[in-house]
């Protein structure tokens, strides 16, 4: 999970192999518009869909040192609502 002033990014990474398995960000056209928090929710839904497509249901949520509030919380809540466990 990473957030900049304008965008939000999320990745599912296999730490053992050092490979990114899935990624989503607000830079993608299909994530949608709205407020930055609504866009972050779209990132959470997209990363959950992509993880489930890889048959992954359980992940570790690394907030990257950012406070668990606002857009970070929106990503986590949306991913949980779409079936990811962490």
């Amino acid at each position: 999970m990473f957030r900049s002033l304008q965008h939000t990014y999320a990745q599912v990474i296999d730490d053992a192999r050092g490979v990114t398995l899935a990624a989503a960000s607000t830079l993608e056209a299909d994530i949608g518009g709205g407020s930055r928090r609504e866009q972050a929710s779209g990132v959470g839904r997209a990363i959950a869909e992509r993880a489930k497509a890889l048959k992954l249901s359980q992940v570790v949520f690394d907030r990257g040192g950012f406070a668990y509030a606002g857009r970070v919380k929106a990503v986590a809540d949306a991913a949980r609502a779409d079936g990811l466990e962490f």
Side-chain angles (χ1 to χ4, degrees):
M1 161 88 231
F2 177 77
R3 67 172 176 81
S4 67
L5 289 176
Q6 294 180 338
H7 296 287
T8 305
Y9 309 84
Q11 294 179 322
V12 175
I13 299 172
D14 181 349
D15 279 337
R17 294 186 301 158
V19 177
T20 300
L21 303 174
S25 77
T26 54
L27 293 171
E28 299 171 24
D30 62 338
I31 294 298
S35 70
R36 288 185 298 183
R37 191 173 292 179
E38 290 167 350
Q39 291 175 358
S41 291
V43 170
R45 287 189 298 275
I47 200 70
E49 278 179 25
R50 294 169 190 177
K52 288 192 312 189
L54 296 169
K55 298 184 181 0
L56 299 173
S57 61
Q58 200 168 30
V59 297
V60 174
F61 186 75
D62 180 1
R63 57 188 174 78
F66 296 105
Y68 189 78
R71 289 185 283 158
V72 175
K73 185 176 185 310
V75 170
D77 290 346
R80 272 196 206 106
D82 276 17
L84 265 180
E85 297 176 20
F86 45 86

